[in-house]
Amino acid sequence: LLCGSCSHEEYECDVCVYGGTSSGVIAAYAVAKQGKKVLLVEPGYRLGGLSSGGLGMTDIGNKQVVKGLSLDFYRRVGAHYGALEQWIFEPSVAESIFKGYIERGQVEVLYGHRILEAAKQGTQLTSIKLENVEKFCGRANVKAKVYIDCSYEGDLMARSGVSYTVGREPNSQYNEN
């Protein structure tokens, strides 16, 4: 139940990206560049996940395999430091670059909202209900044609009833070694 002072917001978009992690920002930016209306929902207040939260040393073996927007990110980091590419960086630099993607893509970001429930018709996800993490009574409803879960824990998938594995499945499950 909502109290009298609680807000209720409605959003409608082509694509809803849940989670402002590195992948969430890049996914939202890529969708926006395709001319689609996108909403990025971030339960916290920082974009970039681990990259902007303190993990600024990229663990990579072969840098030559990094392409596309991932390479673009490292080149933007490099430009900040006066180099072509930079694979070790300060969290604030990463966050600034992620904010730049959001600005260039004109992506709408809904900060401070986490998923409460997901509505489906058959297997199709039709809307998600969110709560304001500070007020707990502020609600939002998001209707989208497509949803992308970019949270680290698969929050959207879990609320949607999608099957998933935590940890590692046995090699025998997919006949892999």
Side-chain angles (χ1 to χ4, degrees), residues 46-56 91 94:
R46 170 177 283 130
L47 296 177
L50 292 172
S51 297
S52 66
L55 187 62

Side-chain angles (χ1 to χ4, degrees), residues 66-77:
V66 178
K67 304 289 183 207
L69 290 173
S70 295
L71 181 58
D72 182 73
F73 171 80
Y74 291 109
R75 290 199 169 158
R76 288 179 187 276
V77 172

